[in-house]
């Protein structure tokens, strides 16, 4: 499964941490929309509970692709 966007992208130095609880790349923007930094951490834990892995590929200015494959 893949989910893609054409947003601002995520800089390489942030990508290893975006699945951590409460980690927000843009703290000012997140406050405006009420983000808590929990969404991707929850996704990671659900996917890992199914013995699978989630990953991101992103390029600043081009967007991001989040993907995972559930084991059967």
């Amino acid at each position: 499964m893949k989910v893609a966007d054409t947003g601002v992208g995520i800089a390489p130095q942030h990508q290893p941490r975006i699945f951590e609880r409460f980690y927000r790349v843009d703290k000012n923007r997140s406050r405006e929309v009420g983000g808590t930094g929990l969404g991707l951490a929850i996704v990671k834990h659900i996917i890992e509970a199914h013995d699978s892995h989630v990953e991101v590929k992103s390029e600043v200015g081009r967007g991001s692709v989040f993907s995972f494959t559930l084991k059967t």
Side-chain angles (χ1 to χ4, degrees):
M1 169 68 67
K2 291 183 182 182
V3 177
D5 68 43
T6 56
V8 297
I10 303 164
Q13 69 268 23
H14 294 290
Q15 291 179 27
R17 299 197 58 203
I18 62 170
F19 294 101
E20 294 177 13
R21 287 179 294 159
F22 306 113
Y23 187 79
R24 293 183 288 180
V25 173
D26 183 350
K27 293 170 183 25
N28 291 325
R29 181 172 169 224
S30 295
R31 279 189 217 118
E32 290 173 6
V33 295
T36 60
L38 288 173
L40 289 175
I42 292 168
V43 168
K44 177 186 173 195
H45 288 286
I46 291 170
I47 296 300
E48 288 180 349
H50 288 88
D51 196 29
S52 298
H53 178 75
V54 62
E55 64 181 36
V56 63
K57 293 182 182 177
S58 186
E59 187 177 337
V60 174
R62 299 198 53 135
S64 304
V65 177
F66 292 85
S67 60
F68 67 92
T69 301
L70 289 176
K71 293 184 179 181
T72 56

